[in-house]
Amino acid sequence: MLSYQHAYHAGNLADLHKHALLASMLDYLTAKPKPLSYLETHAGRGLYDLSGPESARTGEADAGITRALAQDWLPAGHPLRQALDQIRALHGPQAYPGSPLIARHFLRPEDEAHLAELHPAEHDALARVAGFAHLHRQDGFQMANALCPPTPRRGLLLIDPSYEVKADYASVPRHIAKLARKWNVGVIALWYPLLLDDRQRPMVQALLRDHPEALLSEVRFPPARPGHGMVGSGMFVINPPWGVEDEAGRLGELYARL
Ligand SMILES: C[S@@+](CC[C@H](N)C(=O)[O-])C[C@H]1O[C@@H](n2cnc3c(N)ncnc32)[C@H](O)[C@@H]1O
């Protein structure tokens, strides 16, 4: 399987929602002088070139991060803006950080990072930019299961599957229930698409039943192309750090204007 390539979608409206929330959470968690663990089950290649043929083919970044910057969705000082500015200073004005490099912007030497990426080419590309982390070329849920609860015990797990297999929607709540039991103080954040046929809804209902205190942030947007099935982006966060609810509300207002 593994035909999904995030380069076609990097910086789109879903990435912007996920990455703005991720950066806000990491900004808060790293403000305290206590080490933390950062884990990712589906890391991707870490660094994207928005002037490349993949972005040009879909135009998704133009409607996402490029328009958001033009319309001041990420004011100076916003955690994602800080990470983006740092990446662009290093890699040029069309660079866009994936979640691993957003995390790198915030992590400190005493923090531990573990990233899983199964696709061989994506894994190799990730290895070129993620020297700060332990890399795992294995199934992300297997990695998370083996590591949780991690050391240090404070921290965040990002779960960002490509949902290539329909069965993912059924298995995600089981994986998350197990991880939350093993790591009851961990921030566990799941990204999922909002689909035209609402296929994700039973998964979200199961998650809310199991974790009624979790934060749910959903935003809607026009499909990237006529007939495209994704019409929004969702983040489900167990043990949400302080402040992320405000950011979710701010993003909700911005997306509602689209
Ligand atoms: C949505 S992309 C990740 C994007 C990244 N988290 C970001 O925000 O920049 C999903 C990635 O998961 C990888 N992948 C698919 N199945 C996997 C699995 N079972 N375990 C680990 N990685 C997997 C894909 O190759 C793809 O690169």
Side-chain angles (χ1 to χ4, degrees), residues 122-237:
E122 299 297 289
H123 185 276
D124 289 354
L126 179 64
R128 289 196 284 277
V129 295
F132 68 100
H134 305 278
L135 301 193
H136 303 255
R137 195 171 143 193
Q138 70 176 127
D139 173 69
F141 284 113
Q142 270 178 19
M143 179 201 76
N145 244 314
L147 292 175
C148 285
T151 307
R153 224 178 160 85
R154 279 180 84 232
L156 188 152
L157 164 65
L158 175 65
I159 302 173
D160 183 18
S162 36
Y163 298 96
E164 280 175 273
V165 187
K166 261 190 179 176
D168 282 351
Y169 292 103
S171 59
V172 159
R174 285 198 300 276
H175 286 301
I176 291 191
K178 190 168 171 191
L179 291 167
R181 262 196 310 277
K182 291 172 78 164
W183 190 20
N184 62 353
V185 297
V187 179
I188 300 181
L190 169 76
W191 179 84
Y192 57 91
L194 305 192
L195 299 168
L196 210 51
D197 63 8
D198 232 14
R199 202 182 319 150
Q200 79 289 347
R201 196 51 52 202
M203 177 186 81
V204 177
Q205 282 164 349
L207 289 165
L208 286 171
R209 249 193 330 269
D210 292 347
H211 314 278
E213 308 293 319
L215 171 84
L216 189 72
S217 167
E218 291 191 345
V219 294
R220 294 194 170 262
F221 43 75
R225 291 169 289 289
H228 198 249
M230 186 168 72
V231 290
S233 167
M235 276 281 261
F236 177 83
V237 186

Side-chain angles (χ1 to χ4, degrees), residues 2 4 6 15 18-19 40-44 48 98-99 116-119 122 138-140 160-162:
L2 290 179
Y4 178 89
H6 196 65
D15 250 12
K18 167 181 66 186
H19 290 160
E40 259 205 66
T41 54
H42 299 72
Y48 300 92
S99 43
E117 171 54 54
L118 204 49
H119 191 290
E122 299 297 289
Q138 70 176 127
D139 173 69
D160 183 18
S162 36

Side-chain angles (χ1 to χ4, degrees), residues 22-33:
L22 174 68
S24 298
M25 292 192 281
L26 287 171
D27 187 40
Y28 175 77
L29 289 172
T30 53
K32 285 190 187 162

